[in-house]
Amino acid sequence: AIRAEQGWETELVLSGHSTGGLVASLWADRHPGALRALVLNSAWLSLQGSEIVRTVGDSVLRTLALRDPRMSILDGWVDPARVFSITDGWVPERDGELPDPAWADDPYVTGWDINPAWSIKPSAPVRVGWLQAVMEGHNRVAQGLDIRCPVLSMGAASTRLGVTWTPESRSADTIIDADATARRAVMLGKLVTIARFPGGVHDLTLSEPPVREQVFSAMRRWMAAYVLR
């Protein structure tokens, strides 16, 4: 569809973030030869928690989905006013002194211009049918995919799960288990490069300026090696 709309004949590189990274991985597996490369930014490849929790959760979700796949769960589980979002920028009263005055005009400090229709706060409804589909995708990745193109799987170096602010919220993945994702990434295909970034947040491209530059620099070097040669 992209090629037809844009009139492109060139090869494509697909990029996916978080749940989009899971979707992109499954799509690439189903369409061998369609992509020149796949770039993942903190792809959600594994559910947080122990294997026992995931197994029990899967059984419960299947039961709920049979009753009503559109059922919303976790409603009201956290006060929206307490939810931390990296896109809001730097709040001195909460975050303290800015580490580098040179960052003053950077979106990391001033806030990112996010379309509220695409980024619902505190979050979009979590529906059991959607979560079941995500877990089925995780199971497929765990069994091993056969993505034929080179894959770059990038993630934060550390995890601090939670939706409320902590001092670590600005330097760790607060949404997914970054270690679990790195371990699972090797199941995507034969040629997978795993890159971890100290100080990175869930969306690596929203990290503090020095980390963000490391992310883009790694992408440029990897693309030069596997795509632009």
Side-chain angles (χ1 to χ4, degrees):
I2 293 173
R3 287 189 177 98
E5 179 181 302
Q6 300 295 329
W8 291 344
E9 296 182 359
T10 185
E11 296 175 308
L12 296 178
V13 175
L14 183 63
S15 176
H17 165 60
S18 196
T19 312
L22 173 63
V23 173
S25 298
L26 296 172
W27 188 92
D29 177 64
R30 291 198 304 267
H31 297 84
L35 300 176
R36 182 68 184 86
L38 176 64
V39 176
L40 303 176
N41 172 3
S42 300
W44 192 17
L45 302 180
S46 178
L47 195 67
Q48 300 87 318
S50 68
E51 189 64 33
I52 294 177
V53 171
R54 290 194 292 268
T55 301
V56 172
D58 187 47
S59 300
V60 172
L61 280 176
R62 290 182 185 278
T63 301
L64 293 176
L66 285 173
R67 295 177 56 188
D68 181 7
R70 294 182 177 274
M71 179 189 301
S72 179
I73 58 177
L74 304 180
D75 292 341
W77 67 291
V78 65
D79 180 2
R82 299 181 60 229
V83 173
F84 169 77
S85 175
I86 198 73
T87 61
D88 291 338
W90 192 271
V91 181
E93 295 78 12
R94 176 193 65 193
D95 298 317
E97 184 179 354
L98 195 62
D100 188 338
W103 301 355
D105 296 326
D106 190 272
Y108 181 77
V109 176
T110 61
W112 296 86
D113 185 16
I114 301 298
N115 186 335
W118 294 356
S119 182
I120 302 173
K121 293 183 179 180
S123 71
V126 178
R127 305 192 188 279
V128 293
W130 171 84
L131 191 53
Q132 183 186 18
V134 168
M135 293 184 68
E136 289 178 356
H138 290 163
N139 290 336
R140 287 188 57 194
V141 174
Q143 294 166 9
L145 302 184
D146 186 24
I147 298 176
R148 306 290 177 84
C149 65
V151 180
L152 172 61
S153 179
M154 303 185 297
S158 60
T159 301
R160 195 285 174 190
L161 298 176
V163 298
T164 58
W165 182 90
T166 70
E168 295 82 17
S169 298
R170 290 190 165 275
S171 58
D173 194 324
T174 61
I175 307 299
I176 67 172
D177 186 332
D179 289 340
T181 290
R183 291 192 296 268
R184 188 62 61 80
V186 299
M187 305 296 291
L188 295 176
K190 299 295 191 297
L191 179 53
V192 180
T193 302
I194 297 173
R196 308 287 297 276
F197 297 91
V201 296
H202 179 54
D203 186 341
L204 293 165
T205 65
L206 302 182
S207 303
E208 63 182 41
V211 177
R212 203 162 70 233
E213 177 52 38
Q214 291 174 17
V215 171
F216 287 124
S217 177
M219 289 176 62
R220 286 192 295 267
R221 294 196 303 271
W222 187 85
M223 293 277 284
Y226 289 106
V227 179
L228 303 178
R229 55 187 175 83

